[in-house]
Amino acid sequence: MGAFFAAAIGFPAIIFSAALVVVVLYWLLVALGAADAHGHAHLHAHVHSRAHVDGRWLGGVPVTIAFSLFVAVGWLISYCASVLLVPSGPVGVLVGVAVLIGTVYVSWQTTKLFVRPLHRLFPDERGPSRLDFVGLTCTIRTGRVDAGFGQAEVRAADGSAAVVQVRQPDGDSAAGALASGSTGLLYAYDETGEFFWVAPYDSALDPRTGPGTKG
């Protein structure tokens, strides 16, 4: 066991040994339900953090799985090379560097071969987009909304909430002021400014909820 640990924490295997510890801890969290095996994160404080962090990497397989394979293969190669090829002393450092470079390359190529058959298990899915908020109503959370300032809270179809930046043209803001607590309609998204254009919402004009709606 002593020789095993000595090789595992020696250079260059220590690089992959450290990464392997992280990978094992991550999958333990997945098993306990504290993390998502697909590498998705659901945070609702901001529209950016609401977005799914979709980890598509090699061959369309989630990055968590691809990276885990890469680390596992790299650790096995680097460990065996450390035992069989890397001598002690200054020469061993030079050999270790060469082994590390070769291990990264071989592990990368091997991982690509492993993940290709797994692609069919992970069909492509379009992740949520900020454009999905267009057409939804929101609740204004700032004292005013104008062409340069404003925030609102919006709820997505899955029930998650996000605080987004909203703007209202100066001409429209004079005709229909939006204040804290009022309801607005997100009708367009400005990708350059990363904000939504909002207008006052009138439920009576909404065909889904207006007076003419039949139960």
Side-chain angles (χ1 to χ4, degrees):
M1 289 295 290
F4 171 83
F5 284 110
I9 63 175
F11 183 78
I14 184 61
I15 304 298
F16 285 93
S17 294
L20 186 62
V21 170
V22 174
V23 168
V24 171
L25 290 176
Y26 172 79
W27 287 109
L28 285 176
L29 290 175
V30 171
L32 295 174
D36 186 349
H38 291 267
H40 293 164
H42 301 275
L43 301 176
H44 311 305
H46 191 272
V47 66
H48 290 293
S49 58
R50 173 190 173 274
H52 289 244
V53 182
D54 189 7
R56 301 282 166 179
W57 186 35
L58 296 172
V61 173
V63 66
T64 50
I65 295 178
F67 181 73
S68 298
L69 286 171
F70 174 78
V71 170
V73 173
W75 181 85
L76 182 61
I77 295 174
S78 62
Y79 175 80
C80 293
S82 295
V83 173
L84 300 176
L85 301 177
V86 180
S88 59
V91 176
V93 176
L94 297 177
V95 175
V97 171
V99 168
L100 178 61
I101 295 174
T103 298
V104 170
Y105 176 78
V106 174
S107 181
W108 175 275
Q109 298 301 323
T110 304
T111 301
K112 288 198 293 186
L113 291 177
F114 282 171
V115 299
R116 284 173 184 169
L118 299 177
H119 175 63
R120 65 176 63 92
L121 301 178
F122 302 95
D124 293 333
E125 297 178 357
R126 186 184 70 85
S129 166
R130 280 172 283 188
L131 295 177
D132 294 338
F133 288 144
V134 175
L136 299 181
T137 58
C138 63
T139 302
I140 305 302
R141 294 306 185 199
T142 51
R144 74 178 197 280
V145 177
D146 53 34
F149 176 79
Q151 287 186 336
E153 181 179 331
V154 59
R155 289 195 173 274
D158 61 2
S160 61
V163 175
V164 298
Q165 300 295 318
V166 293
R167 301 290 185 267
Q168 187 180 28
D170 289 332
D172 293 347
S173 61
L178 286 168
S180 180
S182 60
T183 302
L185 177 68
L186 304 177
Y187 64 86
Y189 178 69
D190 188 301
E191 295 186 359
T192 302
E194 296 187 340
F195 61 81
F196 292 87
W197 290 109
V198 63
Y201 174 73
D202 186 350
S203 60
L205 300 178
D206 191 332
R208 298 169 299 177
T209 59
T213 303
K214 296 182 180 180

